[in-house]
mmCIF file of all heavy atoms in Angstrom:
data_model
loop_
_atom_site.group_PDB
_atom_site.id
_atom_site.type_symbol
_atom_site.label_atom_id
_atom_site.label_comp_id
_atom_site.label_asym_id
_atom_site.label_seq_id
_atom_site.Cartn_x
_atom_site.Cartn_y
_atom_site.Cartn_z
ATOM 1 N N PRO H 1481 10.885 16.277 -1.701
ATOM 2 C CA PRO H 1481 11.160 17.008 -0.304
ATOM 3 C C PRO H 1481 11.179 18.515 -0.540
ATOM 4 O O PRO H 1481 11.757 18.939 -1.588
ATOM 5 C CB PRO H 1481 12.357 16.371 0.178
ATOM 6 C CG PRO H 1481 12.407 14.993 -0.470
ATOM 7 C CD PRO H 1481 11.871 15.195 -1.807
ATOM 8 N N TYR H 1510 11.320 -7.840 -22.386
ATOM 9 C CA TYR H 1510 11.970 -6.951 -21.408
ATOM 10 C C TYR H 1510 10.906 -5.906 -20.846
ATOM 11 O O TYR H 1510 9.968 -5.576 -21.349
ATOM 12 C CB TYR H 1510 13.098 -6.132 -22.026
ATOM 13 C CG TYR H 1510 14.256 -7.017 -22.463
ATOM 14 C CD1 TYR H 1510 14.226 -7.617 -23.814
ATOM 15 C CD2 TYR H 1510 15.333 -7.353 -21.628
ATOM 16 C CE1 TYR H 1510 15.259 -8.434 -24.181
ATOM 17 C CE2 TYR H 1510 16.257 -8.190 -22.036
ATOM 18 C CZ TYR H 1510 16.336 -8.658 -23.373
ATOM 19 O OH TYR H 1510 17.278 -9.679 -23.744
ATOM 20 N N LYS H 1615 30.954 12.052 -11.022
ATOM 21 C CA LYS H 1615 32.452 12.223 -11.104
ATOM 22 C C LYS H 1615 32.636 13.181 -12.316
ATOM 23 O O LYS H 1615 33.616 14.128 -12.357
ATOM 24 C CB LYS H 1615 33.106 10.949 -11.326
ATOM 25 C CG LYS H 1615 34.601 11.132 -11.561
ATOM 26 C CD LYS H 1615 35.230 9.736 -11.830
ATOM 27 C CE LYS H 1615 35.141 9.283 -13.292
ATOM 28 N NZ LYS H 1615 35.988 8.170 -13.492
ATOM 29 N N GLU H 1632 42.763 12.143 -14.191
ATOM 30 C CA GLU H 1632 42.166 10.688 -14.052
ATOM 31 C C GLU H 1632 43.366 9.887 -14.191
ATOM 32 O O GLU H 1632 43.939 9.762 -15.252
ATOM 33 C CB GLU H 1632 41.175 10.336 -15.039
ATOM 34 C CG GLU H 1632 39.734 11.090 -14.793
ATOM 35 C CD GLU H 1632 38.697 10.714 -15.781
ATOM 36 O OE1 GLU H 1632 38.041 9.626 -15.587
ATOM 37 O OE2 GLU H 1632 38.458 11.410 -16.807
#
Side-chain angles (χ1 to χ4, degrees):
Y1510 295 88
K1615 180 183 80 170
E1632 291 184 79

